Amino acid sequence: MILVAPSLLAADFANLQREVEEITEAGADWLHLDIMDGHFVPNISFGPGLVSALRSKTSLIFDVHLMVCQPEKFVAPFAEAGADYITVHAEACPDLYRVLRQIKEAGCRPGVALNPATPLSVLEYLWEELDLVLLMSVSPGFGGQEFLPFVLPKVAEAARRIKEAGKEIFLVVDGGVNMENAAALVQAGATVLVAGTAVFGHPSRAEAIKALKDLGSKSLS
Ligand code: DX5
Ligand code: ZN
């Protein structure tokens, strides 16, 4: 099963409650929440207050993607705000293992995100600790960028490593995902497609979500 996680970053910020309710009804699986601090990435998005305000508006899984320096400082606030998954960037963590433990202790499921040029080898001793691996397919910081094709073989390699680990680990691809590359990504082994522009920029969110799911499941059959 392919999961679609619309990224709130591409939603209409003046109408967030309505946007979230619409994608919930449209069949989204997760809500992807991009947290940016203006240091780790050159942009600022929103914080735990907003995540907490949206928590009661939807039953969707909250997939919090922390694009921040020192993410250990923000695990507790986002856990309290209602995060289900908390994903930190390997590039932001000198002691990744410690942060993953901290996320679990806070009652959430831990994930690690890798920038496009970061090798999978940083996860070599950590597969057992992970519930999610997120591969960035654009440089993080902004929605609406073009998918970087060199990430496709990395997705395939990550899928092999997950299989070897013998554990259920979601393989998430984030950045520039659309109807043109969804099938190839799922064929390579992606199990969760994050899509900002492809969903919120589409005249019908329901159609966009369905199209991504159908492309994904067709490429598996
Ligand atoms: C980029 C974010 C992505 C982004 C996806 O820094 O992590 O989640 O918002 O948006 P699109 O699908 O428009 O690339
Ligand atoms: Zn993201």
Side-chain angles (χ1 to χ4, degrees):
M1 240 252 299
I2 300 312
L3 304 182
V4 173
S7 163
L8 194 69
L9 199 62
D12 176 1
F13 274 26
N15 290 296
L16 286 178
Q17 177 174 350
R18 205 175 66 202
E19 294 282 69
V20 168
E21 286 169 351
E22 192 178 332
I23 57 149
T24 307
E25 282 159 27
D29 298 289
W30 293 2
L31 179 64
H32 186 81
L33 296 150
D34 285 307
I35 312 303
M36 304 178 178
D37 67 349
H39 292 277
F40 183 72
V41 290
N43 195 8
I44 296 177
S45 58
F46 47 84
L50 188 115
V51 174
S52 164
L54 291 175
R55 186 56 288 186
S56 62
K57 311 297 177 202
T58 175
S59 53
L60 292 177
I61 298 274
F62 273 16
D63 171 33
V64 172
H65 177 194
L66 293 182
M67 287 165 277
V68 303
C69 295
Q70 297 184 291
E72 65 279 1
K73 287 188 180 170
F74 300 97
V75 168
F78 281 102
E80 280 156 28
D84 295 290
Y85 289 88
I86 296 183
T87 297
V88 295
H89 269 263
E91 303 86 358
C93 300
D95 188 345
L96 197 45
Y97 176 74
R98 187 199 294 270
V99 186
L100 297 180
R101 301 297 313 180
Q102 192 195 349
I103 295 170
K104 283 187 212 180
E105 279 158 22
C108 299
R109 291 169 176 268
V112 174
L114 304 180
N115 281 340
T118 302
L120 287 171
S121 56
V122 298
L123 301 176
E124 183 157 0
Y125 304 104
L126 287 175
W127 292 100
E128 288 300 308
E129 300 296 324
L130 294 173
D131 285 310
L132 180 163
V133 171
L134 182 153
L135 300 183
M136 288 302 313
S137 40
V138 298
S139 284
F142 300 93
Q145 301 180 77
E146 211 159 301
F147 179 82
L148 296 168
F150 68 82
V151 177
L152 195 58
K154 191 178 178 186
V155 174
E157 179 59 22
R160 274 194 291 277
R161 300 305 308 267
I162 288 170
K163 210 168 170 195
E164 274 168 26
K167 179 178 184 251
E168 201 193 340
I169 301 173
F170 287 107
L171 180 48
V172 184
V173 182
D174 184 8
V177 173
N178 57 33
M179 285 59 160
E180 275 77 60
N181 51 35
L185 286 167
V186 171
Q187 215 154 20
T191 52
V192 182
L193 300 175
V194 173
T197 311
V199 169
F200 286 105
H202 196 282
S204 161
R205 282 82 194 265
E207 262 177 47
I209 292 168
K210 187 172 180 312
L212 289 168
K213 284 198 184 218
D214 286 352
L215 284 161
S217 36
K218 254 185 240 150
S219 72
L220 287 177
S221 59

